[in-house]
């Protein structure tokens, strides 16, 4: 999907969706399995310490997580609340102030962070101020840092003056007219900010 905005200002004139190579279901399986494992450890510790409330809460969360995990293995998306449960469980482990709790809290916090990052829609914004490629991390480039930016055969190529070459596949086909317009916009901005090589 490409949004071409003709007005100027803070809105980038081009917002281009890139192909996401991350499999959301595989990510759900990994995230929920880590949560499931952490809850089993929490339940075992609670049983050992005979902490009734913790046992009940852990059992409920474990059943819920197991149900979500079963659904994911049957090709259903994980609940949108699963990430929230991961975050809440991470906080719960941190406040226990134990070695195991701290380790599990870090593990779940990292799981939550990676889950959010990997599931976000990869895209590139092209504006008068430069180009920003957003995948796992955001990579901003000013026009002064670029030799060339071009779309050809459904692939975006960003060539930087530091000899870094970034190539990303577009999520959708674009028309020849849109492709030519974007390429011309990039060519003019690069020319205005220092001559760039032409691919």
């Amino acid at each position: 999907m490409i949004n071409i905005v003709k007005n100027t200002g803070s809105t980038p004139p081009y917002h281009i969706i890139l192909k996401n190579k991350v499999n959301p279901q595989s990510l759900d399986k990994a995230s929920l399995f880590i949560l499931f494992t952490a809850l089993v450890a929490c339940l075992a510790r609670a049983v050992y310490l005979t902490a009734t409330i913790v046992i009940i809460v852990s059992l409920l969360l474990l059943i819920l997580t197991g149900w979500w995990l079963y659904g994911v293995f049957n090709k259903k998306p994980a609940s949108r609340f699963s990430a929230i449960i991961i975050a809440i469980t991470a906080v719960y482990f941190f406040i226990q102030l134990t070695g195991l709790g701290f380790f599990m809290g870090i593990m779940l916090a990292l799981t939550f962070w990676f889950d959010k990052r990997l599931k976000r829609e990869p895209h590139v914004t092209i504006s008068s101020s430069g180009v920003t490629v957003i995948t796992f991390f955001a990579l901003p480039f000013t026009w002064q840092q670029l030799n060339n930016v071009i779309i050809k055969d459904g692939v975006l190529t960003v060539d930087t003056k530091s000899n870094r070459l970034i190539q990303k596949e577009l999520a959708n086909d674009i028309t020849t007219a849109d492709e030519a317009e974007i390429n011309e916009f990039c060519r003019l901005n690069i020319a205005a900010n220092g001559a760039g090589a032409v691919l």
Side-chain angles (χ1 to χ4, degrees):
M1 176 181 170
I2 296 180
N3 297 322
I4 300 175
V5 182
K6 301 298 182 183
N7 63 312
T8 57
S10 60
T11 304
Y14 302 103
H15 179 84
I16 305 168
I17 307 302
L18 303 173
K19 184 171 283 188
N20 192 348
K21 296 183 178 179
V22 175
N23 185 334
Q25 284 199 324
S26 296
L27 192 60
D28 286 339
K29 287 177 186 177
S31 298
L32 290 173
F33 182 76
I34 292 171
L35 176 59
F36 190 85
T37 303
L39 287 170
V40 167
C42 178
L43 180 61
R45 182 175 179 275
V47 169
Y48 176 75
L49 297 174
T50 61
T52 308
I53 294 176
V54 178
I55 290 172
I56 293 170
V57 172
S58 298
L59 268 175
L60 290 173
L61 288 174
L62 198 58
I63 291 168
L64 188 59
T65 303
W67 180 61
W68 284 336
L69 196 56
Y70 174 79
V72 169
F73 272 100
N74 284 279
K75 304 193 182 303
K76 294 179 182 177
S79 167
R80 62 190 178 93
F81 297 112
S82 60
I84 297 172
I85 296 298
I86 291 173
I88 291 172
T89 309
V91 172
Y92 168 74
F93 276 120
F94 277 127
I95 63 177
Q96 287 186 21
L97 299 176
T98 64
L100 177 64
F102 188 72
F103 173 77
M104 291 295 184
I106 290 175
M107 185 174 68
L108 289 173
L110 288 172
T111 299
F112 176 80
W113 187 76
F114 274 99
D115 187 84
K116 284 293 191 185
R117 286 276 177 157
L118 289 171
K119 281 184 179 176
R120 73 179 178 180
E121 185 177 66
H123 62 278
V124 59
T125 56
I126 302 173
S127 69
S128 56
S129 60
V131 176
T132 302
V133 181
I134 299 175
T135 51
F136 188 75
F137 295 106
L139 300 173
F141 301 99
T142 63
W143 292 113
Q144 291 87 349
Q145 295 175 294
L146 299 170
N147 277 328
N148 200 13
V149 178
I150 191 168
I151 295 174
K152 187 176 181 181
D153 299 326
V155 176
L156 170 76
T157 300
V158 178
D159 179 21
T160 73
K161 289 181 179 176
S162 61
N163 295 321
R164 183 173 187 178
L165 190 68
I166 299 169
Q167 290 189 308
K168 298 292 180 182
E169 193 175 351
L170 305 189
N172 303 295
D173 294 333
I174 65 171
T175 65
T176 304
D178 283 346
E179 183 180 289
E181 182 178 337
I182 295 167
N183 289 341
E184 180 65 6
F185 178 85
C186 294
R187 187 189 70 78
L188 291 173
N189 276 280
I190 289 171
N193 291 279
V198 177
L199 291 180

